[in-house]
Amino acid sequence: VDRLMLEQLLDELTECDPEGKRICELIMQGSSKEEIADTLQSEFGGNWYKSKAVYREKQVLDQLCKRISLRIP
């Protein structure tokens, strides 16, 4: 994926899903699911992140894949 396109997608996520944007950033940094859950829990609060981190990661990645496929001719 083109770096510019990825940056545009992340900018869109900032507006509609800041948590999703943070998940993407953490994935790109190579964070594990446990690290993602810990980070989200500390930054956004709530204990549910431990049990929902895997689901949320998949949901965000699915959204990005759909947006990318709509932009690629």
Side-chain angles (χ1 to χ4, degrees):
V1 173
D2 182 298
R3 181 73 181 171
L4 179 61
M5 183 186 298
L6 184 57
E7 288 174 10
Q8 290 172 340
L9 290 169
L10 289 175
D11 287 344
E12 288 178 25
L13 277 177
T14 300
E15 295 176 21
C16 66
D17 189 0
E19 181 183 288
K21 179 185 183 219
R22 187 67 176 125
I23 291 171
C24 290
E25 291 170 342
L26 294 167
I27 291 168
M28 291 187 310
Q29 293 171 8
S31 299
S32 69
K33 287 178 177 52
E34 177 95 13
E35 291 168 329
I36 291 171
D38 289 343
T39 301
L40 293 176
Q41 186 174 8
S42 68
E43 292 180 6
F44 293 95
N47 291 326
W48 70 272
Y49 285 108
K50 288 292 184 184
S51 60
K52 301 291 183 183
V54 174
Y55 167 76
R56 237 348 235 140
E57 180 182 356
K58 181 178 178 351
Q59 183 183 37
V60 167
L61 290 175
D62 287 346
Q63 275 182 346
L64 276 178
C65 287
K66 285 177 187 174
R67 288 176 184 237
I68 289 170
S69 66
L70 292 175
R71 292 176 180 225
I72 297 174

